[in-house]
Amino acid sequence: MSGWLAVLIRALPLLLLAWPAHADLPGIPAVTVTPSEDGGGEEYSVTLQVLALMTALTFLPAMLMMMTSFTRIIIVFAILRQALGLQSTPSNQILIGLTLFLTIFIMRPVLEQVNEDALQPYMAEEIAPLEAVQRASEPFREFMLAQTREDDLGLFMRIADEQAATPQDVSFWVLMPAFVTSELKTAFQIGFILFIPFLIIDMVVASVLMAMGMMMLSPIIISLPFKIMLFVLVDGWALIMGTLASSFGI
């Protein structure tokens, strides 16, 4: 699994780094060292290509969330925790860790194709960075198109005043917000379905407490053990993760 994480980390900056490798790029002065004896000095500079790469690294978190299955998974996990009535268990770190590795599992075919078609030829200096960017974007485009609703895609095409004969002709900058919008809608639909059984348990417990005259006792305190027991008995984590993976066609 760690190998695919390394591929993801190395491939995503490639999507933003489009300067030709053979270009003679100017440097930006960074540090000047001046010895005290003879007064001479030496200047160290940073090339624009390295500067662009370091800038591209800051976009990694946004690209991870907006171009993969990360958004849908983390929202479903957050809604599930709220439905169970647990405020901080599992913790945010655990949920993000689960989401990250489940995202790598789901995105594995895409990462394999990016590694084979773009990353390895680029590292072997067989193709230029611009061509590597183009090749790396195609698997992500196919993945996002498969998960994007036509209504959302049409909405952003109208906003951008853009025309396309087929969905494959839509620009990447229109596809990305349409994909995120579709992911949000799908995540909340799955979360709504997950919320229903736990809501029924809360309503039943509240009705029983009202009938017994225990109006001062919080129904959440009583229903929490029953919701956890139900979730464990049906092997909830396996069902949730399997459902999320299969919702992407895995």
Side-chain angles (χ1 to χ4, degrees), residues 184-210:
L184 289 173
K185 182 177 181 179
T186 303
F188 277 94
Q189 287 176 340
I190 297 175
F192 171 77
I193 296 175
L194 290 177
F195 218 106
I196 292 178
F198 301 110
L199 180 61
I200 293 176
I201 293 177
D202 286 334
M203 294 176 62
V204 170
V205 171
S207 300
V208 172
L209 292 178
M210 287 286 291

Side-chain angles (χ1 to χ4, degrees), residues 57-224:
L57 291 176
T58 62
F59 288 91
L60 273 176
M63 295 173 68
L64 175 64
M65 291 185 292
M66 299 295 103
M67 296 175 58
T68 65
S69 57
F70 190 94
T71 301
R72 182 187 305 186
I73 298 171
I74 192 63
I75 290 177
V76 171
F77 282 165
I79 294 177
L80 174 63
R81 184 173 64 179
Q82 186 70 25
L84 284 170
L86 302 172
Q87 299 300 321
S88 58
T89 303
S91 64
N92 292 333
Q93 291 82 355
I94 294 177
L95 289 184
I96 292 175
L98 286 173
T99 304
L100 178 61
F101 283 98
L102 187 57
T103 298
I104 296 174
F105 172 76
I106 293 173
M107 299 296 296
R108 180 178 176 179
V110 177
L111 298 179
E112 286 180 343
Q113 189 173 353
V114 170
N115 183 49
E116 180 180 352
D117 296 344
L119 185 58
Q120 293 302 326
Y122 173 73
M123 294 181 64
E125 299 183 356
E126 297 176 357
I127 58 176
L130 191 59
E131 184 179 354
V133 170
Q134 180 64 30
R135 291 188 181 186
S137 65
E138 290 303 323
F140 284 97
R141 171 187 287 274
E142 294 177 3
F143 171 80
M144 291 190 290
L145 275 176
Q147 310 301 326
T148 305
R149 292 178 171 84
E150 294 184 1
D151 294 340
D152 297 327
L153 195 60
L155 169 64
F156 285 95
M157 288 180 64
R158 290 193 300 270
I159 295 176
D161 194 17
E162 181 176 313
Q163 301 294 330
T166 61
Q168 287 72 21
D169 298 331
V170 177
S171 67
F172 208 82
W173 308 111
V174 172
L175 177 60
M176 287 180 63
F179 169 73
V180 174
T181 304
S182 295
E183 287 295 284
L184 289 173
K185 182 177 181 179
T186 303
F188 277 94
Q189 287 176 340
I190 297 175
F192 171 77
I193 296 175
L194 290 177
F195 218 106
I196 292 178
F198 301 110
L199 180 61
I200 293 176
I201 293 177
D202 286 334
M203 294 176 62
V204 170
V205 171
S207 300
V208 172
L209 292 178
M210 287 286 291
M212 297 176 64
M214 299 181 179
M215 292 175 290
M216 300 300 295
L217 184 61
S218 175
I220 299 178
I221 299 177
I222 306 300
S223 63
L224 180 58

Side-chain angles (χ1 to χ4, degrees), residues 19-32:
W19 275 277
H22 59 274
D24 187 12
L25 296 175
I28 299 177
V31 178
T32 301

Side-chain angles (χ1 to χ4, degrees), residues 16-23 25 48-49 51-53 122 128-130:
L16 296 178
L17 186 60
W19 275 277
H22 59 274
L25 296 175
L48 292 179
Q49 189 171 9
L51 183 62
L53 179 59
Y122 173 73
L130 191 59

